């Protein structure tokens, strides 16, 4: 069963209240074919546990890694993913679209 946005945001709040370091990733822009719409969320805790999706699995690993850095330093980041020659074999969207994801620490 997929988590709803309400589940994801409630988990972010619950994890934070429990004293866990938490970051929230949100899809802020899409172009072309994108697996998840604007407003989709992924919540990550400092241990790498996560809930939700920003890409249907294509780039979640990279977003989780960046979220751990955001939890550590508190500096938000905007990430961009698409299919490009330099990233096609590393991480990207096989559907041909492009997404921008904003990652922020939940304080």
């Amino acid at each position: 069963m997929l988590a709803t946005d309400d589940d994801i945001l409630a988990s972010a709040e619950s994890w934070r209240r429990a004293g866990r370091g938490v970051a929230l990733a949100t899809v802020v822009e899409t172009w072309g074919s994108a697996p998840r719409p604007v407003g989709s969320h992924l919540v990550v805790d400092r241990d790498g546990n996560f809930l939700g999706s920003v890409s249907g699995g294509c780039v979640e690993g990279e977003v989780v890694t960046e979220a751990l850095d955001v939890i550590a330093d508190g500096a938000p980041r905007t990430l961009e993913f698409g299919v490009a020659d330099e990233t096609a074999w590393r991480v990207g969207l096989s559907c041909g679209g492009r997404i921008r994801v904003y990652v922020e620490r939940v304080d």
Side-chain angles (χ1 to χ4, degrees):
M1 181 172 130
L2 291 175
T4 67
D5 281 340
D6 288 343
D7 295 337
I8 295 163
L9 297 176
S11 293
E13 180 180 13
S14 173
W15 293 357
R16 186 65 196 120
R17 285 181 190 254
R20 296 157 71 173
V22 176
L24 183 66
T26 304
V27 176
V28 295
E29 183 178 345
T30 65
W31 181 87
S33 177
R36 302 285 295 151
V38 169
S40 297
H41 296 293
L42 174 75
V43 62
V44 181
D45 77 1
R46 68 175 173 247
D47 295 326
N49 298 302
F50 65 94
L51 179 67
S53 175
V54 291
S55 74
C58 309
V59 300
E60 259 73 5
E62 183 77 14
V63 173
V64 168
T65 298
E66 289 289 334
L68 294 174
D69 290 342
V70 168
I71 291 168
D73 66 23
R77 294 159 174 73
T78 300
L79 313 173
E80 187 167 324
F81 300 97
V83 174
D85 290 342
E86 66 272 11
T87 60
W89 296 104
R90 188 172 56 100
V91 56
L93 301 178
S94 58
C95 56
R98 190 172 56 225
I99 62 171
R100 293 180 73 203
V101 178
Y102 184 72
V103 184
E104 61 189 319
R105 185 167 69 186
V106 177
D107 289 321

